[in-house]
Amino acid sequence: MSYGNIENLYRQVIMDHYKTPRNKGLKNDDENYINVHIKNPTCGDDITIQVKIKDNIIEDVKHDGTGCSISMSAASVMTETIKGKKTDEALKIMTNYVNMVKGDDFDEELEMGDAMVYQGVSQFPARFKCATIAWKALNKAIEKSKE
């Protein structure tokens, strides 16, 4: 498969998650969920995630917000990628994802599901925050869960 075909496939996955986001919608007043809200004032991305963690396992993840196709689709992909994982495994995936999006070395063997489609973001440094805002919120939620 040529590079152009892979780029096109990646774009299709991103647009699918943007148009039909998975795990979208927050649980109202459910004390079993940790809420984290992050806003990027420079581009307008605004996201809230809710994470339900029990025995160090991410049982559920929800998201809601507004923003560009990269930030909103990345939130959808993040929820699918980490749901059911242990928190330390989710953090490892998150670190790997951030390194990949930044253009740094990353573990290509680590199973990251559809998150791999954001590899091309490294060519557009201005989009880094868009692609990582949901993951940053996840990191804060996991930190909160350990308090």
Side-chain angles (χ1 to χ4, degrees), residues 1 23 49 52 78 120 132:
M1 191 182 282
N23 303 302
I49 70 159
K52 183 179 181 182
M78 181 270 297
T132 58

Side-chain angles (χ1 to χ4, degrees), residues 52-121:
K52 183 179 181 182
I53 299 171
K54 187 174 180 192
D55 300 324
N56 281 323
I57 295 174
I58 298 170
E59 289 190 343
D60 197 17
V61 192
K62 300 286 183 198
H63 68 96
D64 204 2
T66 56
C68 67
S69 60
I70 299 279
S71 66
M72 295 297 102
S73 65
S76 172
V77 167
M78 181 270 297
T79 64
E80 285 201 318
T81 304
I82 58 112
K83 193 186 275 192
K85 303 266 191 292
K86 291 184 181 222
T87 53
D88 57 347
E89 188 181 358
L91 289 171
K92 187 176 178 183
I93 292 168
M94 181 205 65
T95 300
N96 202 47
Y97 173 83
V98 169
N99 288 338
M100 177 190 74
V101 170
K102 215 186 282 180
D104 293 346
D105 289 339
F106 70 99
D107 181 357
E108 294 184 39
E109 303 298 310
L110 186 64
E111 178 53 49
M112 297 195 333
D114 281 350
M116 288 299 293
V117 304
Y118 296 90
Q119 196 168 353
V121 171

Side-chain angles (χ1 to χ4, degrees), residues 14-75:
I14 289 169
M15 290 313 293
D16 179 49
H17 276 273
Y18 178 63
K19 290 176 179 171
T20 316
R22 285 36 153 214
N23 303 302
K24 186 167 181 168
L26 304 176
K27 299 279 186 185
N28 292 333
D29 299 327
D30 190 328
E31 71 279 350
N32 295 313
Y33 285 80
I34 297 164
N35 293 298
V36 175
H37 175 255
I38 297 181
K39 185 175 176 88
N40 181 352
T42 54
C43 71
D45 291 335
D46 188 334
I47 189 159
T48 301
I49 70 159
Q50 290 182 320
V51 184
K52 183 179 181 182
I53 299 171
K54 187 174 180 192
D55 300 324
N56 281 323
I57 295 174
I58 298 170
E59 289 190 343
D60 197 17
V61 192
K62 300 286 183 198
H63 68 96
D64 204 2
T66 56
C68 67
S69 60
I70 299 279
S71 66
M72 295 297 102
S73 65

